[in-house]
């Protein structure tokens, strides 16, 4: 028995759905016996009559390279002696009705560059990692800063000749940029192999293959390695909810429903033209859970953002009446998907205790970040889609209407601590005619930039971790164009350069101030000072840390009008220093009362009760601005 032959225990675990490292033997693996080299193939094809290997070495005719079925299983395996690393291959499957299918390897590690679709024999061993310090120091994320830069690698920045940048080039340019801007993590739109550029990776064919669009597996390892060496975590968008119908992919893999459900009312995802995985099959669960662990094992990935969780949880997700199948109790919940997600998260955290497992869940399913053993789904983060929708609905409104919708700013706090939340301003909000974040803002050219600075300041100071899609940091005016690089040319204009510098300043302030992340997920980290000033569209709140001296006061004026004298209550007597004023001229602001409100200046408290406090301060409040204040540890006031 060679080292790549499946043991009876591994076969049993695969059939039970409990083999988390199935990729170590499934698929194509180079075998060496002395000077002889070959490739062992193992594939799951339960309804096939024959399985062969078609390759560029045999003229894509697999008759000479047939695999054999492992006795009493649905697995096929065999060694092809005259193949080696770098060779192209597909599974040639003869279905029960005699149809010949050519399929890419579901477990393939590398693929041809689209539009070609063959798998490539590839070993992932041999890369010399240099991120041992990062890997050793990974900790629980809850009381640590997390500010994510979301990236689509194909459109961040192209090469001078217009071609896509490689993983290796991005490991320098992108990683340097993200580090300089003060982000803690990069989140990549899906890089699992996919046939169509404009699916952005969300309709995959290869769940174990880093797309060859941007280079080789070793180059992607280098990208992750350099991120870690610069102190930047890497999160992958991962899509276990559905897969593409392309002929070479998973759809009807052996001529019948293998990865999908046989019932089209369960399998079909009509809004995307894709197929859902059949989570009732243990082999499918082994496949998907192994994919999750694979990226952490082979590529040192720090976490996964699990896409479209709501579409997995509900059979009727975006389906009209009569177009979906209820569960065995007559309900809409997909019970098998719920069990799968719980098992997925339990397995990931068993092997990688400090991994990030983030759910994009938009339907208020209870307990998304509650432990799986206690009835939750077991994620450790959930995208706060409610905050995102309410906030964007508010900031897009004309200034004179905002007072009637003040609850859009205040209501999200009521559920902010029900889950461990991340606040997303993602790619989904700047495509398909939704306009860029900058262009969503009402008012004049200058007011649009002021509104965007205010939005970012509000996000950074609101409870929850943060995510911003690329281009937002410098105020890209056009919405995301998914076939072109970002509009870097706008940095030739002063307002966009100022916007970029503001985002950089805000990011570094976030890193330095514990109150903005240390108590992110508990009520004690947030306190309203004034949430009821609807007439003037102002909110004031405190963010707190474990040490009272680290607390901050945040004042957001969402109105176009300034206030020359605005009073707020403060928790104690002292001098309150301005850490950030988004209206500062250095950020492109209007400079309202600039001499009194410059960064570093301080405002002394008065013994004048306000907002239920014995002391208060009065300051000028610029239009469309956010101000962040911190009490100086050594007050300038003399005790009387």
């Amino acid at each position: 028995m060679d080292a790549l032959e499946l043991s009876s225990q591994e076969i049993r675990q695969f059939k039970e759905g409990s083999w988390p490292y199935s990729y170590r033997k499934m698929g194509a693996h180079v075998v060496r016996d002395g000077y002889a080299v070959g490739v062992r193939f193992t594939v799951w094809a339960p309804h096939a009559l024959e399985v062969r290997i078609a390759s560029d070495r045999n003229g894509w005719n697999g008759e000479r390279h047939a695999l054999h079925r492992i006795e009493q299983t649905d697995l096929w395996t065999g060694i092809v002696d005259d193949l080696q690393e770098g060779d192209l291959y597909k599974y040639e499957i003869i279905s029960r009705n005699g149809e010949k299918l050519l399929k890419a390897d579901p477990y393939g590690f590398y693929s041809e560059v689209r539009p070609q679709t063959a798998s490539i024999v590839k070993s992932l061993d041999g890369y010399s990692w240099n991120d041992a310090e990062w890997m050793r120091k990974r900790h629980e994320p809850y009381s640590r800063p997390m500010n994510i830069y979301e990236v689509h690698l194909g459109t961040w920045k192209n090469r001078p000749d217009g071609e896509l940048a490689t993983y290796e080039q991005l490991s320098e340019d992108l990683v340097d940029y993200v580090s300089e801007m003060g982000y803690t993590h990069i989140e990549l739109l899906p890089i699992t192999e996919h046939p169509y550029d404009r699916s952005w990776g969300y309709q995959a064919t290869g769940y174990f293959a880093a797309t060859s669009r941007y280079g080789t597996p070793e180059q992607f390892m280098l990208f992750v390695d350099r991120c870690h060496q610069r102190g930047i975590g890497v999160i992958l968008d991962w899509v276990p909810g559905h897969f593409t119908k392309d002929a070479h992919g998973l759809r009807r893999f052996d001529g019948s429903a293998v990865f999908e459900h046989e019932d089209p009312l369960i399998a079909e995802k009509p809004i995307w033209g894709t197929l859902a995985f059949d989570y009732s099959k243990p082999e499918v669960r082994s496949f998907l859970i192994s994919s999750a662990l694979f990226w952490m094992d082979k590529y040192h990935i720090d976490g996964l953002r699990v896409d479209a969780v709501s579409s997995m949880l509900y059979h009727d997700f975006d389906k009209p009446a009569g177009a979906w199948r209820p569960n065995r109790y007559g309900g809409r919940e997909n019970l098998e998907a719920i069990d799968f997600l719980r098992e997925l998260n339990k397995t990931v955290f068993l092997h990688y205790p400090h991994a990030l497992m983030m759910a994009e869940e938009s339907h208020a399913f209870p307990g998304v970040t509650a432990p799986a053993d206690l009835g939750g789904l077991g994620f450790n983060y959930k995208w706060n889609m409610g905050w995102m929708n309410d906030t964007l609905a508010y900031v897009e409104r004309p200034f004179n209407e905002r007072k009637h919708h003040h609850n859009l700013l205040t209501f999200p706090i009521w559920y902010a601590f029900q889950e461990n939340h991340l606040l997303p301003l993602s790619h989904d909000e700047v495509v398909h005619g939704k306009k860029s974040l900058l262009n969503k803002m009402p008012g004049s050219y200058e007011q649009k930039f002021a509104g965007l600075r205010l939005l970012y300041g509000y996000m950074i100071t609101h409870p929850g971790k943060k995510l911003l899609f690329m281009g937002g940091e410098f105020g890209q005016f056009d919405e995301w164009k998914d076939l072109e690089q970002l509009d870097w040319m706008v940095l030739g204009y002063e307002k966009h350069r100022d916007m970029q510098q503001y985002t950089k300043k805000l990011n570094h302030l976030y890193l330095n101030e514990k109150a903005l992340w240390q108590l992110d997920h508990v009520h004690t980290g947030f306190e309203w000072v004034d949430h009821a000033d609807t007439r003037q569209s102002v909110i004031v709140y405190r963010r707190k840390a474990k040490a009272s001296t680290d607390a901050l006061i945040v004042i957001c004026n969402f109105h176009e009008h300034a206030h020359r004298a605005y009073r707020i209550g403060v928790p104690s007597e002292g001098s309150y220093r301005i850490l950030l004023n988004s209206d500062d001229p250095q950020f492109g602001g209007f400079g309202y009362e600039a001499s009194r409100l410059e960064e570093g200046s301080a405002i002394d408290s008065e013994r004048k009760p306000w907002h239920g406090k014995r002391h208060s301060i009065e300051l000028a409040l610029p239009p469309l601005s956010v101000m962040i204040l911190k009490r100086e540890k050594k007050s300038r006031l003399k005790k009387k």
Side-chain angles (χ1 to χ4, degrees):
M1 177 176 177
D2 67 70
L4 293 168
E5 189 174 347
L6 272 66
S7 68
S8 58
Q9 180 182 8
E10 289 165 340
I11 293 171
R12 177 178 54 79
Q13 288 177 327
F14 183 70
K15 293 176 69 174
E16 291 175 349
S18 61
W19 190 16
Y21 291 115
S22 59
Y23 58 87
R24 293 180 178 176
K25 291 193 176 180
M26 299 290 287
H29 297 269
V30 176
V31 293
R32 291 179 173 84
D33 184 8
Y35 293 103
V37 177
V39 178
R40 176 176 282 281
F41 295 91
T42 305
V43 65
W44 178 50
H47 307 111
L49 291 181
E50 294 183 66
V51 179
R52 311 160 179 165
I53 301 300
S55 72
D56 55 345
R57 290 292 188 100
N58 60 23
W60 299 101
N61 184 338
E63 289 184 0
R64 293 191 301 110
H65 294 141
L67 305 183
H68 68 272
R69 185 191 290 269
I70 300 175
E71 188 175 354
Q72 296 182 336
T73 76
D74 297 328
L75 296 164
W76 299 76
T77 193
I79 296 176
V80 178
D81 292 331
D82 52 353
L83 286 185
Q84 59 188 347
E85 186 163 0
D87 286 339
L88 309 180
Y89 72 97
K90 286 186 177 180
Y91 292 108
E92 184 179 276
I93 298 174
I94 309 302
S95 71
R96 287 180 176 175
N97 64 9
E99 182 183 9
K100 181 188 291 185
L101 306 170
L102 283 176
K103 292 287 188 176
D105 190 348
Y107 281 90
F109 295 153
Y110 192 36
S111 298
E112 286 186 287
V113 178
R114 54 64 177 121
Q116 304 305 314
T117 58
S119 300
I120 302 175
V121 177
K122 183 67 179 175
S123 171
L124 298 183
D125 299 329
Y127 179 81
S128 180
W129 289 89
N130 295 288
D131 64 346
E133 183 177 2
W134 170 272
M135 300 293 283
R136 185 173 61 253
K137 291 184 177 180
R138 288 197 288 195
H139 301 288
E140 284 190 345
Y142 308 111
S143 60
R144 301 173 66 84
M146 188 188 304
N147 188 10
I148 301 167
Y149 188 64
E150 187 189 33
V151 178
H152 178 253
L153 290 179
T155 54
W156 182 72
K157 185 183 290 185
N158 293 342
R159 299 188 327 217
D161 61 3
E163 294 298 314
L164 299 178
T166 66
Y167 295 122
E168 186 169 5
Q169 291 163 334
L170 291 163
S171 74
E172 297 179 357
D173 297 344
L174 175 58
V175 174
D176 287 348
Y177 180 77
V178 168
S179 177
E180 179 185 348
M181 288 296 296
Y183 292 99
T184 63
H185 293 74
I186 294 174
E187 181 175 314
L188 302 178
L189 269 63
I191 63 158
T192 41
E193 193 59 81
H194 53 284
Y196 184 46
D197 288 0
R198 303 199 77 173
S199 79
W200 312 332
Y202 289 98
Q203 297 183 13
T205 53
Y207 278 74
F208 297 83
T211 178
S212 54
R213 284 169 174 78
Y214 314 120
T216 67
E218 290 84 359
Q219 287 179 317
F220 184 56
M221 291 174 184
L222 176 65
F223 175 86
V224 177
D225 201 357
R226 287 186 174 169
C227 283
H228 287 171
Q229 291 174 50
R230 298 295 297 273
I232 299 167
V234 182
I235 302 165
L236 296 187
D237 244 346
W238 186 65
V239 190
H242 60 121
F243 58 88
T244 182
K245 292 182 176 181
D246 289 63
H248 69 284
L250 301 178
R251 176 182 178 270
R252 300 193 71 82
F253 183 72
D254 62 5
S256 60
V258 176
F259 291 91
E260 69 272 32
H261 201 283
E262 186 67 49
D263 185 344
L265 292 185
I266 297 175
E268 292 286 342
K269 297 280 190 181
I271 60 169
W272 296 313
T274 56
L275 294 169
F277 284 99
D278 183 355
Y279 308 104
S280 69
K281 294 174 182 173
E283 297 90 346
V284 171
R285 296 197 299 273
S286 281
F287 174 80
L288 288 173
I289 292 173
S290 291
S291 173
L293 292 183
F294 166 82
W295 296 101
M296 299 176 189
D297 177 18
K298 292 297 185 180
Y299 287 102
H300 291 198
I301 294 301
D302 299 286
L304 302 173
R305 178 264 196 185
V306 181
D307 179 65
V309 169
S310 296
S311 77
M312 300 171 65
L313 295 175
Y314 300 104
H315 284 300
D316 65 343
F317 179 85
D318 272 354
K319 290 182 178 181
W324 57 280
R325 185 82 62 199
N327 64 36
R328 59 183 177 272
Y329 302 112
R332 56 196 285 258
E333 295 82 8
N334 187 332
L335 303 178
E336 291 80 13
I338 292 170
D339 288 343
F340 161 73
L341 290 170
R342 289 171 175 159
E343 188 62 31
L344 165 71
N345 287 314
K346 285 195 291 186
T347 305
V348 167
F349 290 126
L350 175 65
H351 295 273
Y352 298 96
H354 302 313
L356 296 168
M357 292 297 290
M358 299 180 167
E360 186 213 14
E361 199 285 308
S362 57
H363 282 50
F365 189 90
V368 172
T369 60
D373 290 337
L374 298 179
L377 292 183
F379 290 93
N380 54 7
Y381 277 97
K382 173 184 174 177
W383 276 29
N384 192 337
M385 308 299 281
W387 175 90
M388 179 275 295
N389 286 317
D390 285 352
T391 299
L392 293 183
Y394 180 85
V395 298
E396 290 183 73
R397 293 188 179 277
F399 306 125
N400 63 347
E401 293 182 10
R402 291 182 172 183
K403 62 185 176 183
H404 303 301
H405 301 277
H406 199 72
N407 64 302
L408 294 175
L409 294 177
T410 58
F411 180 66
I413 286 297
W414 289 100
Y415 59 84
F417 307 107
Q418 292 177 3
E419 306 273 8
N420 298 328
H421 278 134
L422 177 141
L423 312 181
L425 293 175
S426 75
H427 67 282
D428 276 331
E429 313 318 316
V430 294
V431 288
H432 302 322
K434 295 180 183 178
K435 301 188 290 190
S436 69
L437 293 177
L438 178 64
N439 209 14
K440 292 179 192 288
M441 303 297 135
S444 67
Y445 180 73
E446 291 78 10
Q447 287 174 324
K448 285 180 179 294
F449 281 96
L452 190 62
R453 293 191 300 270
L454 170 56
L455 171 62
Y456 291 170
Y458 172 60
M459 176 179 74
I460 283 288
T461 57
H462 192 283
K465 308 308 183 187
K466 329 295 175 186
L467 178 142
L468 180 66
F469 184 56
M470 64 181 194
E473 75 277 11
F474 58 77
Q476 176 152 316
F477 204 88
D478 291 342
E479 67 176 28
W480 176 42
K481 299 181 283 290
D482 59 10
L483 293 178
E484 301 176 27
Q485 70 172 5
L486 295 180
D487 293 335
W488 295 101
M489 79 288 291
V490 300
L491 289 175
Y493 298 91
E494 184 178 15
K495 286 292 185 185
H496 293 277
R497 291 197 304 272
D498 291 344
M499 186 73 227
Q500 186 186 48
Q501 288 305 305
Y502 171 75
T503 306
K504 179 179 177 179
K505 171 74 176 183
L506 192 62
N507 289 348
H508 284 278
L509 177 69
Y510 170 77
L511 290 174
N512 292 331
E513 296 297 332
K514 294 179 181 179
L516 297 179
W517 40 263
Q518 196 173 64
L519 299 176
D520 250 338
H521 309 305
V522 291
H523 291 83
T524 52
F526 179 91
E527 177 190 354
W528 280 118
V529 176
D530 187 357
H531 59 78
D533 191 355
T534 59
R535 183 177 63 85
Q536 300 184 100
S537 300
V538 175
I539 55 173
V540 187
Y541 49 91
R542 295 179 69 213
R543 289 302 310 276
K544 296 185 283 186
K546 293 178 181 178
S548 61
T549 53
D550 290 325
L552 303 176
I553 296 175
V554 182
I555 313 166
C556 298
N557 178 16
F558 285 93
H559 208 284
E560 61 180 322
H561 298 309
H563 305 288
R564 187 170 182 81
Y566 196 90
R567 185 169 292 277
I568 63 171
V570 294
S572 59
E573 182 182 31
S575 299
Y576 289 81
R577 179 165 51 91
I578 297 174
L579 300 184
L580 181 88
N581 172 11
S582 69
D583 188 58
D584 195 305
Q586 69 173 311
F587 305 133
F590 297 106
Y592 180 79
E593 294 287 335
S595 61
R596 292 199 291 158
L597 299 177
E598 65 182 359
E599 180 185 322
S601 61
I603 303 160
D604 295 336
S605 68
E606 303 173 58
R607 191 179 290 274
K608 186 172 184 179
W610 210 263
H611 291 141
K613 308 293 185 181
R614 291 191 298 171
H615 299 86
S616 60
I617 61 174
E618 185 179 86
L619 72 166
L621 199 57
L624 297 172
S625 67
V626 58
M627 300 186 67
I628 303 175
L629 287 71
K630 186 175 187 179
R631 185 182 182 277
E632 294 185 335
K633 292 182 179 180
K634 292 185 178 180
S635 174
R636 302 180 304 171
L637 298 177
K638 295 181 179 179
K639 294 188 179 293
K640 297 181 180 179

